[in-house]
Amino acid sequence: MNLPDNHTERLERARLSLEGLAIGDAFGEMLAYQGASARERVERGLMAGPWFYTDDTAMALGVFEVLRLRGSIDPNELALQFAERFRREPERGYGTMARVILRRILAGESWQRAAGSAFGGTGSMGNGAAMRVAPLGAYFAEDLDTCLRAEAVLSAGVTHAHREGISGAIAIATAAAMAWRLRGMPKAQAAIELLQTVYDRTPDGETRIGIARAQKLPFFTAPAIAARVLGNGSAVTAPDTVPFVLWSAAKHLDDYREALIDTVIADGDCDTNCAMVGGIVALYAGRESIPEDWQAARERFDWEEKP
Ligand SMILES: [Mg+2]
């Protein structure tokens, strides 16, 4: 197995994205459907923790682990990672179809069959492949023109056979890679470039049409209005989730705290929306942009020391 020369450096930034994702996930879960009071609650100070993460982070941990071990996505290994984490902790808030697919993999069925037969054979177009992929985008940030897209596709296919489910993963992985690559650029310019690059590299379809709509929506638009135009994940599909997430991440690329507040205010699939935004914004804004008390409150991953 060939790990890239700068494997440690790549993992380091995948880890930053993973932490941004996990904090976003827990934040979104805590404040879900309390958009109206979210800002006030944050300003008063959120609870000390642990802030428990959900399925979004559990699956992102699976992606991270495969990259740590292999330096690329082996879908068989990834399917085992997902299935094993689901077996150990089934109550992390997995969606109905994810539960069906993971149970079938645990029962010995191939991921190809399990993922391919979802929704009567069309495959899932849910936002689940996108929600876990930001750390992968970080890991392959310098491979935007070579293998990033192929790796994102491999990571998605284990559970999402529908092309929209896969497009969502390509879009979010590209956004994460761009957030890292654009760090030196002023925010306003970086936001425009990020959205354009994601649009250019997302396959044709509904998700891509939504991204074009996000590019045209001014950043001064209120989150609730933006959600009405772009979707907010209420339908838990990629086209209903990814355009709004990209818009919200681009809008607040340099401010992790503000990014999450504005994202949760839009309601919808709050934990997943915030997980994706957090996994992207952390890469541009850096760890220092994540409030220290939030970092301390985050539930530790199974391989981390408990505080
Ligand atoms: Mg979740």
Side-chain angles (χ1 to χ4, degrees):
M1 162 194 342
N2 291 326
L3 293 175
D5 291 341
N6 61 349
H7 179 64
T8 312
E9 207 178 293
R10 285 165 178 255
L11 269 189
E12 196 58 38
R13 58 185 196 241
R15 167 94 190 250
L16 170 60
S17 173
L18 179 64
E19 288 178 28
L21 184 157
I23 294 168
D25 178 11
F27 176 97
E29 182 71 8
M30 254 185 325
L31 296 176
Y33 310 116
Q34 300 166 56
S37 62
R39 181 174 299 279
E40 190 200 320
R41 285 186 60 188
V42 170
E43 273 156 17
R44 244 187 305 150
L46 293 167
M47 66 170 199
W51 292 9
F52 293 107
Y53 62 75
T54 77
D55 57 327
D56 308 63
T57 304
M59 294 192 108
L61 281 163
V63 172
F64 181 84
E65 187 61 7
V66 173
L67 292 175
R68 187 182 71 80
L69 294 170
R70 298 189 181 265
S72 61
I73 292 297
D74 172 341
N76 297 316
E77 174 86 28
L78 186 60
L80 290 177
Q81 282 282 344
F82 289 161
E84 179 53 24
R85 278 168 207 279
F86 172 66
R87 188 189 63 75
R88 285 204 310 260
E89 298 180 324
E91 303 310 328
R92 288 280 185 184
Y94 289 87
T96 310
M97 187 48 72
R99 300 177 76 90
V100 170
I101 293 171
L102 292 171
R103 269 199 214 107
R104 289 172 69 162
I105 294 172
L106 275 175
E109 196 168 305
S110 73
W111 60 263
Q112 289 92 334
R113 254 184 88 93
S117 59
F119 297 101
T122 59
S124 172
M125 64 189 286
N127 57 23
M131 76 186 184
R132 62 190 184 221
V133 83
L136 179 150
Y139 187 90
F140 292 108
E142 61 253 75
D143 305 320
L144 191 64
D145 294 320
T146 52
C147 62
L148 179 132
R149 178 173 159 146
E151 296 287 339
V153 170
L154 283 173
S155 79
V158 171
T159 48
H160 289 68
H162 191 288
R163 63 193 176 92
E164 294 295 342
I166 296 170
S167 286
I170 294 171
I172 296 295
T174 305
M178 287 308 289
W180 176 261
R181 291 166 66 109
L182 294 169
R183 278 164 301 144
M185 188 183 277
K187 185 217 136 184
Q189 199 184 338
I192 291 168
E193 183 138 336
L194 182 146
L195 289 176
Q196 185 61 45
T197 308
V198 173
Y199 174 77
D200 290 342
R201 286 160 192 268
T202 301
D204 276 334
E206 271 185 71
T207 304
R208 189 172 197 235
I209 291 169
I211 297 169
R213 213 172 287 140
Q215 283 182 283
K216 293 193 195 87
L217 190 70
F219 285 137
F220 58 72
T221 310
I225 307 289
R228 228 173 294 152
V229 178
L230 303 174
N232 63 3
S234 299
V236 287
T237 65
D240 183 49
T241 310
V242 168
F244 170 72
V245 161
L246 292 169
W247 180 84
S248 197
K251 176 177 178 178
H252 298 293
L253 207 47
D254 59 348
D255 190 337
Y256 183 92
R257 179 178 179 271
E258 204 50 42
L260 289 197
I261 295 174
D262 234 21
T263 302
V264 87
I265 284 175
D267 281 341
D269 195 355
C270 294
D271 58 321
T272 293
N273 294 349
C274 288
M276 291 196 252
V277 167
I280 295 166
V281 170
L283 289 162
Y284 180 92
R287 191 172 269 110
E288 59 282 6
S289 174
I290 308 176
E292 273 176 32
D293 52 330
W294 295 11
Q295 296 189 49
R298 171 178 68 79
E299 178 187 2
R300 300 296 107 170
F301 305 137
D302 44 15
W303 35 265
E304 286 179 312
E305 295 257 343
K306 306 280 179 268

